[in-house]
Amino acid sequence: MPDITAVTHAQNIRYDRKAEALYIIDQTLLPGEEKEIRLQTIDEMVEAIRALRVRGAPAIGICAAYCMYVLAKSIRTEDRPTFLKRLSDYGQQLDAARPTAVNLGWAIREMMRTALEHVHDTRGQMLDALYERAVVIHEDDIAKCRAISEYGLSLLKEGDGVLTHCNAGPLATSRYGTAQGPFLLAAERGMHIRVFADETRPLLQGARLTSYELQRAGVDVTLICDNMASIVMKNGWVQACFVGCDRVAANGDTANKIGTSGVAILAKHYGIPVYVLGPTSTIDMACPDGDHIPIEERDGEEIKTMWYEKPMALPEVKCYNPAFDVTDHELIAGIVTEKGICRPPYTKSLKALFDDKK
Ligand SMILES: CSC[C@H]1O[C@H](OP(=O)(O)O)[C@H](O)[C@@H]1O
């Protein structure tokens, strides 16, 4: 029996205030095992982000915010300059774990700003402020994902087919998700949307996570290999593509999981609109275009051996394993944020989002 709420409200990141402990669901074990692990030390936190035990731009930011609180509590000094230096050093180690998702650095800077704002308070008052900021970052994302899901669903009608790439559901965010949020909202409302989920080589976020989330929520999901995207589009089964984002540049160029730009190029060929869905915290107005987005490169073993009983290539074979690529803004029909759907020209429509903040 589908349990939509169990999916939409899955606690991928949980801070236990009584136990004073930070827990995450280890996403590297899904879908076979749903296991919480505790993050206590900087090394455990960096490893968890680097190994994608916690992953997805918003989720990484939320986790980093709680990590900064946990680390602040571990700094035993009453000398405030020393405290701030040590917390800043921890923040730099966390930020270096993965370079592409802008939410990570954004959350760390937000926590450092909070520490500075309370530098003349007592230690207890500062720690309370840091905890409260982490909770606000977490709860804001819940509200943002809900709004993004509503705007995203407004683009679809009963019976539509949608192709998605990688995972941008509750596991990658807080609740509902971004690119997958509209599908869960549709399921809640009894609306039939057919989702084609790319497996998303090499780490299989689509196979392991998206199909796991959508199947359990009772969404009509079909898992395909990445090289099948063209045929499902050609068959007329796809009316739109919904993808997440890790960093959106000021001109609308968007970094997302490797393979996204290929999906967008295919979609343009078949006349299918591509929508990027993500919170404004993923938009980097200081980044002029996609050429300025740092692209994380990962270990080639993720390609050659990670999922196979026997290696699929000779050990000496070179690999190229970028974790993301950049989709040109001209291939994007709209960028769906919690503030609404931005349409081209993005240099204007994205800027307007932040002008609203004033
Ligand atoms: C809601 S952001 C999800 C975004 O993050 C994923 O990357 P990763 O699995 O490496 O953290 C992917 O790019 C998704 O679109």
Side-chain angles (χ1 to χ4, degrees):
M1 185 64 185
D3 186 347
I4 299 173
T5 306
V7 176
T8 56
H9 288 57
Q11 288 203 313
N12 58 338
I13 301 164
R14 176 171 68 89
Y15 191 84
D16 183 330
R17 190 72 158 144
K18 285 184 181 176
E20 285 293 351
L22 173 59
Y23 296 98
I24 61 168
I25 290 175
D26 183 345
Q27 297 189 36
T28 64
L29 303 177
L30 291 173
E33 182 184 4
E34 190 163 310
K35 179 184 176 184
E36 271 195 331
I37 59 173
R38 184 176 177 181
L39 300 182
Q40 287 181 281
T41 69
I42 182 66
D43 290 342
E44 289 169 346
M45 296 166 182
V46 169
E47 193 276 340
I49 294 171
R50 184 77 191 132
L52 278 73
R53 299 185 196 281
V54 55
R55 49 143 300 279
I60 295 172
I62 294 163
C63 183
Y66 285 120
C67 287
M68 289 291 279
Y69 169 65
V70 170
L71 294 165
K73 282 169 52 66
S74 74
I75 300 171
R76 298 289 175 200
T77 175
E78 285 308 321
D79 178 63
R80 284 299 152 87
T82 303
F83 173 89
L84 291 172
K85 174 69 169 66
R86 287 180 187 170
L87 187 61
S88 175
D89 290 347
Y90 281 142
Q92 288 175 32
Q93 290 181 65
L94 288 172
D95 199 10
R98 296 191 75 192
T100 304
V102 69
N103 308 59
L104 178 56
W106 170 81
I108 292 164
R109 289 190 295 276
E110 281 297 299
M111 296 301 284
M112 283 308 301
R113 183 172 59 79
T114 302
L116 284 167
E117 284 173 358
H118 295 269
V119 70
H120 300 303
D121 294 357
T122 67
R123 176 185 168 83
Q125 289 169 332
M126 177 189 283
L127 291 175
D128 284 346
L130 286 168
Y131 173 72
E132 286 158 17
R133 186 71 188 112
V135 169
V136 165
I137 287 171
H138 194 172
E139 292 180 347
D140 277 357
D141 190 76
I142 291 171
K144 288 174 180 175
C145 285
R146 193 69 172 70
I148 290 164
S149 301
E150 290 284 1
Y151 282 119
L153 187 55
S154 72
L155 296 166
L156 302 176
K157 65 183 186 300
E158 177 71 22
D160 272 350
V162 189
L163 184 138
T164 191
H165 191 75
C166 197
N167 173 257
L171 286 166
T173 59
S174 50
R175 287 186 190 163
Y176 286 91
T178 54
Q180 272 101 61
F183 313 147
L184 295 169
L185 209 53
E188 280 182 349
R189 296 175 182 171
M191 191 174 161
H192 178 235
I193 300 293
R194 187 179 182 192
V195 179
F196 292 91
D198 279 353
E199 64 174 350
T200 317
R201 292 268 301 150
L203 287 177
L204 305 178
Q205 288 93 326
R208 295 187 300 110
L209 307 175
T210 298
S211 64
Y212 164 77
E213 290 179 316
L214 297 184
Q215 187 70 36
R216 288 170 65 233
V219 174
D220 178 357
V221 58
T222 302
L223 177 61
I224 61 172
C225 295
D226 299 338
N227 54 13
M228 299 170 188
S230 177
I231 195 168
V232 297
M233 291 182 190
K234 184 172 185 176
N235 289 348
W237 297 343
V238 176
Q239 281 65 53
C241 295
F242 279 17
V243 296
C245 49
D246 292 83
R247 191 181 300 239
V248 180
N251 72 340
D253 288 350
T254 296
N256 195 52
K257 184 50 51 197
I258 186 70
T260 303
S261 65
V263 165
I265 292 164
L266 283 171
K268 183 169 181 68
H269 175 75
Y270 290 109
I272 297 169
V274 174
Y275 293 98
V276 168
L277 295 86
T280 49
S281 55
T282 306
I283 299 169
D284 182 359
M285 293 306 285
C287 178
D289 56 44
D291 292 340
H292 292 78
I293 298 177
I295 299 296
E296 172 190 356
E297 284 203 41
R298 298 184 63 84
D299 188 331
E301 291 311 308
E302 293 175 354
I303 297 172
K304 292 192 288 186
T305 61
M306 189 167 188
W307 304 107
Y308 307 102
E309 288 182 12
K310 297 176 181 175
M312 291 301 283
L314 292 173
E316 60 271 26
V317 169
K318 291 196 300 292
C319 284
Y320 173 50
N321 187 17
F324 303 96
D325 60 21
V326 175
T327 298
D328 190 282
H329 63 279
E330 292 181 350
L331 297 173
I332 299 171
I335 298 176
V336 183
T337 76
E338 72 277 11
K339 289 174 172 275
I341 301 170
C342 290
R343 302 281 185 176
Y346 295 116
T347 48
K348 187 176 178 182
S349 58
L350 293 177
K351 186 174 181 299
L353 288 176
F354 295 90
D355 290 346
D356 282 352
K357 279 190 173 180
K358 292 176 182 172

Coordinates of all heavy atoms in Angstrom, one line a residue, residues 153-160 182-183 185-194 219:
L153 N 3.9 21.5 -10.2 CA 2.7 20.7 -10.6 C 1.8 21.6 -11.5 O 1.1 21.0 -12.4 CB 2.0 20.3 -9.4 CG 0.8 19.4 -9.6 CD1 1.2 18.1 -10.3 CD2 0.2 19.0 -8.2
S154 N 1.9 22.9 -11.4 CA 1.1 23.8 -12.2 C 1.4 23.6 -13.7 O 0.7 24.1 -14.6 CB 1.2 25.2 -11.8 OG 2.5 25.8 -12.2
L155 N 2.6 23.1 -14.0 CA 3.1 22.9 -15.4 C 2.6 21.6 -16.0 O 2.8 21.3 -17.2 CB 4.6 22.9 -15.4 CG 5.3 24.2 -15.0 CD1 6.8 24.0 -14.7 CD2 5.0 25.3 -16.0
L156 N 1.9 20.7 -15.2 CA 1.6 19.4 -15.7 C 0.1 19.3 -15.7 O -0.7 20.0 -15.0 CB 2.2 18.3 -14.8 CG 3.7 18.4 -14.6 CD1 4.1 17.3 -13.6 CD2 4.4 18.1 -16.0
K157 N -0.4 18.3 -16.5 CA -1.8 18.0 -16.5 C -2.0 16.4 -16.4 O -1.0 15.7 -16.6 CB -2.5 18.5 -17.8 CG -2.0 17.8 -19.1 CD -2.7 18.4 -20.3 CE -2.3 17.7 -21.5 NZ -0.8 17.7 -21.8
E158 N -3.2 16.0 -16.0 CA -3.5 14.6 -15.8 C -3.0 13.8 -17.0 O -3.2 14.1 -18.2 CB -5.0 14.4 -15.7 CG -5.5 13.0 -15.6 CD -5.2 12.4 -14.2 OE1 -5.0 13.1 -13.3 OE2 -5.1 11.1 -14.2
G159 N -2.2 12.7 -16.7 CA -1.8 11.8 -17.7 C -0.5 12.2 -18.4 O 0.0 11.4 -19.2
D160 N 0.1 13.3 -18.0 CA 1.4 13.7 -18.6 C 2.5 12.7 -18.2 O 2.4 12.1 -17.1 CB 1.8 15.1 -18.1 CG 1.3 16.2 -18.9 OD1 0.7 15.9 -20.0 OD2 1.4 17.4 -18.5
P182 N 6.8 17.7 -7.4 CA 5.4 17.8 -8.1 C 4.8 16.4 -8.3 O 3.6 16.2 -8.2 CB 5.8 18.4 -9.4 CG 7.0 19.2 -9.1 CD 7.8 18.4 -8.1
F183 N 5.7 15.4 -8.4 CA 5.1 14.0 -8.7 C 4.5 13.5 -7.4 O 3.4 12.8 -7.4 CB 6.2 13.0 -9.1 CG 7.1 13.5 -10.2 CD1 8.4 13.2 -10.3 CD2 6.6 14.4 -11.2 CE1 9.3 13.7 -11.3 CE2 7.4 14.9 -12.2 CZ 8.7 14.5 -12.2
L185 N 3.3 15.4 -4.9 CA 2.1 16.3 -4.7 C 0.9 15.8 -5.6 O -0.2 15.6 -5.1 CB 2.4 17.7 -5.1 CG 1.7 18.8 -4.4 CD1 1.8 18.7 -2.8 CD2 2.3 20.2 -4.8
A186 N 1.2 15.4 -6.8 CA 0.2 14.8 -7.7 C -0.4 13.6 -7.2 O -1.6 13.4 -7.2 CB 0.8 14.6 -9.1
A187 N 0.5 12.7 -6.6 CA 0.0 11.5 -6.0 C -0.9 11.7 -4.8 O -1.9 11.1 -4.7 CB 1.2 10.6 -5.6
E188 N -0.6 12.7 -4.0 CA -1.4 13.1 -2.9 C -2.8 13.5 -3.4 O -3.8 13.3 -2.7 CB -0.8 14.3 -2.1 CG 0.3 13.9 -1.1 CD 0.8 15.1 -0.4 OE1 0.5 16.2 -0.7 OE2 1.6 14.9 0.6
R189 N -2.9 14.1 -4.6 CA -4.1 14.6 -5.1 C -4.8 13.7 -6.1 O -5.7 14.0 -6.8 CB -3.9 16.0 -5.7 CG -3.4 17.0 -4.7 CD -3.0 18.3 -5.2 NE -2.5 19.2 -4.1 CZ -1.9 20.3 -4.3 NH1 -1.8 20.8 -5.5 NH2 -1.5 21.0 -3.3
G190 N -4.3 12.4 -6.2 CA -4.9 11.4 -7.0 C -4.7 11.7 -8.5 O -5.5 11.2 -9.3
M191 N -3.7 12.5 -8.8 CA -3.5 12.9 -10.2 C -2.5 11.9 -10.8 O -1.5 11.5 -10.2 CB -2.9 14.3 -10.3 CG -2.8 15.0 -11.6 SD -2.2 16.7 -11.3 CE -1.6 17.1 -12.9
H192 N -2.7 11.4 -12.0 CA -1.8 10.4 -12.6 C -0.8 11.1 -13.5 O -1.1 11.7 -14.5 CB -2.6 9.4 -13.5 CG -1.7 8.4 -14.1 ND1 -1.7 8.1 -15.5 CD2 -0.7 7.6 -13.6 CE1 -0.8 7.2 -15.8 NE2 -0.2 6.9 -14.6
I193 N 0.4 10.9 -13.0 CA 1.6 11.4 -13.8 C 2.5 10.2 -14.0 O 2.8 9.5 -13.1 CB 2.4 12.5 -13.0 CG1 1.5 13.7 -12.7 CG2 3.6 12.9 -13.8 CD1 1.1 14.5 -14.0
R194 N 3.0 10.0 -15.2 CA 3.9 8.9 -15.5 C 5.3 9.4 -15.5 O 5.6 10.3 -16.3 CB 3.5 8.2 -16.9 CG 4.3 6.9 -17.1 CD 4.0 6.3 -18.4 NE 4.7 5.0 -18.6 CZ 4.8 4.3 -19.7 NH1 4.2 4.8 -20.8 NH2 5.5 3.2 -19.8
V219 N 3.6 6.4 -7.0 CA 3.7 7.1 -8.3 C 4.1 6.1 -9.4 O 4.8 5.2 -9.2 CB 4.8 8.2 -8.2 CG1 5.0 8.9 -9.5 CG2 4.4 9.2 -7.1

